Amino acid sequence: RKIEDFNRDKIFIRQSDTRVTATYSADLLFGNYSLFTAYHKSNNIDLLKVYLAILNSKVITFYAIKKEIVLIKVGKTPQLRSGQRGPIGLRQLPFPKLENEHKKNLACLVNQILSAKSDDSSADTSELECQIDQLVYQLYNLTKEEIAIIENGVK
């Protein structure tokens, strides 16, 4: 592959974790076998940040665990499946239809988190993450009861 393929904004997703954990980078970085890499074909950075927000949401982790996209077995290292070699994996995650207002709000929150973490890698961004979760709940039209199930099931 060409270096230009890697010199773009991207999302790295951890393969071994008990939840979906995604990180954004605009730097020239290469991921090893323990990371999945995602990027936007036309390099739409704001949309990539929206995907980052949704991937890191409690909704996606809850769904991924229930559908065994995140495979957790006793005595085994948790694994996030790609879906490349089977019917279950990241490729099957349900992404909601996004209105421009949703995209704008999610990208703004992600930018605030990235800025805070850039200034101080240990910055507490939990309130911003909570706001993202609330917006994602709205995107999926979840009821209060469904939200409670997710909140209690994902820590």
Side-chain angles (χ1 to χ4, degrees), residues 41-57:
K41 287 183 181 182
S42 61
N43 215 27
N44 184 329
I45 297 166
D46 285 335
L47 193 54
L48 192 65
K49 290 177 181 177
V50 169
Y51 293 149
L52 177 70
I54 294 170
L55 282 168
N56 280 313
S57 72

Side-chain angles (χ1 to χ4, degrees), residues 15 20 36 60-73 79-94:
Q15 185 179 9
V20 178
F36 298 115
I60 289 298
T61 288
F62 183 84
Y63 181 88
I65 290 169
K66 290 299 180 188
K67 295 293 185 176
E68 294 188 340
I69 293 169
V70 173
L71 193 56
I72 302 172
K73 293 191 174 186
Q79 291 294 311
L80 179 64
R81 296 175 172 186
S82 70
Q84 189 171 2
R85 293 190 203 120
I88 300 172
L90 280 173
R91 297 169 189 252
Q92 286 72 43
L93 289 175

Side-chain angles (χ1 to χ4, degrees), residues 139-154:
L139 287 175
Y140 287 97
N141 296 312
L142 298 178
T143 65
K144 288 182 181 181
E145 293 79 17
E146 291 167 328
I147 293 168
I149 292 168
I150 291 168
E151 290 285 335
N152 291 325
V154 177

